[in-house]
Amino acid sequence: MKTIKILKYIFMGVGLITLSVMGIWSYTTHNFVDNAHSAQGTVIDLIQSRSSSSSSTSNPYVYRPEVIFQTATGEEVTFQSSSGSNPPAYNRGKKVSVLYDPENPLDAKIDDTLSLWLGPLILGVIGFIFSVFGIGLSVYFYKKEKLKNYLLRHGSPVTARIDSITENTSVRVNGRYPFQITAQWQDPVSGTLHLFKSDNIWFNPTDHIQRDTVTVLVDQSDPEKYFVDLSFLPKTVE
């Protein structure tokens, strides 16, 4: 089904975009740290706000510290940290190191890893997971197609008896499970019984099978590598 193959592009696209945003955010944060002035501030309040990541059954709030500090020119500035936690990471009255933009003192951050790098770190992890999943799908489909083409050219055809036609419940797309044909063949030389499973079929093939056998192309050096020939089934428009 094309939907599954499209997923690899979606995952890689989301991963690439997320990693790009992470890179821009990290670069901006790095420049801010390099050019910022430092000052000592004091936590004067803990602002309660709803967390977008909390479920309705858990505590849905985080606490963001509100900090006051004095610039090098003597100006008093109050700001609220962009990051929060539950339980609170700071107590009222706690002294904290502050970094601020000398040209815009309201652009200030608490000088710690959580406040400065938590956002880029989260994006980096998300981007990495999506990218790895997308690349993994791409490698899987590439190897699968490569093996299929190899077996179509060099595989040894054997006639396997159809054992069952069942839904493959390990895969689900848009609420649908694909079907698989399971067939078995006994090697006449070794006597070993081999079970073969077809690729996923996105319609019920039962009414289209007027036979009790199916052709399977097998790699003689490794019978675990095979391809069930489904060319007798009608083509579908996806």
Side-chain angles (χ1 to χ4, degrees):
M1 195 175 188
K2 288 184 178 179
T3 303
I4 297 180
K5 292 186 178 181
I6 290 174
L7 282 177
K8 65 182 180 182
Y9 298 111
I10 294 176
F11 276 98
M12 285 193 293
V14 172
L16 180 61
I17 292 172
T18 306
L19 290 175
S20 297
V21 174
M22 182 273 292
I24 294 172
W25 194 347
S26 299
Y27 176 78
T28 302
T29 300
H30 185 269
N31 279 349
F32 172 80
V33 172
D34 278 351
N35 298 314
H37 288 189
S38 61
Q40 187 177 67
T42 303
V43 177
I44 58 174
D45 201 359
L46 297 172
I47 308 302
Q48 179 179 275
S49 61
R50 184 173 291 273
S51 171
S52 59
S53 62
S54 295
S55 66
S56 58
T57 57
S58 62
N59 193 328
Y61 297 102
V62 295
Y63 299 89
R64 306 178 191 277
E66 187 175 45
V67 178
I68 188 170
F69 69 96
Q70 193 173 71
T71 68
T73 61
E75 177 186 359
E76 278 199 345
V77 177
T78 302
F79 74 96
Q80 184 184 140
S81 175
S82 59
S83 60
S85 62
N86 189 358
Y90 303 93
N91 297 319
R92 292 180 179 88
K94 182 177 178 61
K95 301 295 183 181
V96 294
S97 178
V98 174
L99 294 175
Y100 67 93
D101 183 348
E103 296 183 1
N104 179 22
L106 288 174
D107 184 9
K109 303 178 187 296
I110 297 176
D111 185 12
D112 68 3
T113 302
L114 180 67
S115 298
L116 293 172
W117 299 106
L118 180 61
L121 179 61
I122 292 175
L123 284 181
V125 171
I126 294 173
F128 176 77
I129 292 173
F130 272 84
S131 297
V132 167
F133 199 80
I135 292 171
L137 282 175
S138 297
V139 171
Y140 168 77
F141 284 118
Y142 170 77
K143 287 186 175 181
K144 186 175 181 179
E145 190 66 21
K146 184 179 180 181
L147 176 61
K148 173 185 173 181
N149 291 332
Y150 172 80
L151 291 172
L152 287 173
R153 293 193 306 268
H154 307 292
S156 299
V158 300
T159 301
R161 182 173 59 83
I162 296 177
D163 184 56
S164 63
I165 301 171
T166 57
E167 288 184 328
N168 180 8
T169 55
S170 64
V171 178
R172 186 177 181 181
V173 177
N174 296 330
R176 296 169 55 201
Y177 297 113
F179 289 83
Q180 274 188 322
I181 296 174
T182 301
Q184 56 179 286
W185 169 73
Q186 188 170 24
D187 189 327
V189 177
S190 66
T192 304
L193 185 66
H194 296 277
L195 291 179
F196 305 113
K197 289 187 177 183
S198 71
D199 287 344
N200 290 323
I201 307 167
W202 291 96
F203 63 91
N204 190 338
T206 303
D207 294 337
H208 304 282
I209 299 178
Q210 308 299 327
R211 57 171 80 181
D212 58 3
T213 61
V214 65
T215 299
V216 182
L217 300 171
V218 180
D219 184 344
Q220 289 290 357
S221 62
D222 184 3
E224 293 299 315
K225 296 178 180 179
Y226 63 85
F227 173 69
V228 179
D229 184 4
L230 300 177
S231 59
F232 61 92
L233 291 177
K235 306 299 180 184
T236 58
V237 178
E238 300 183 357

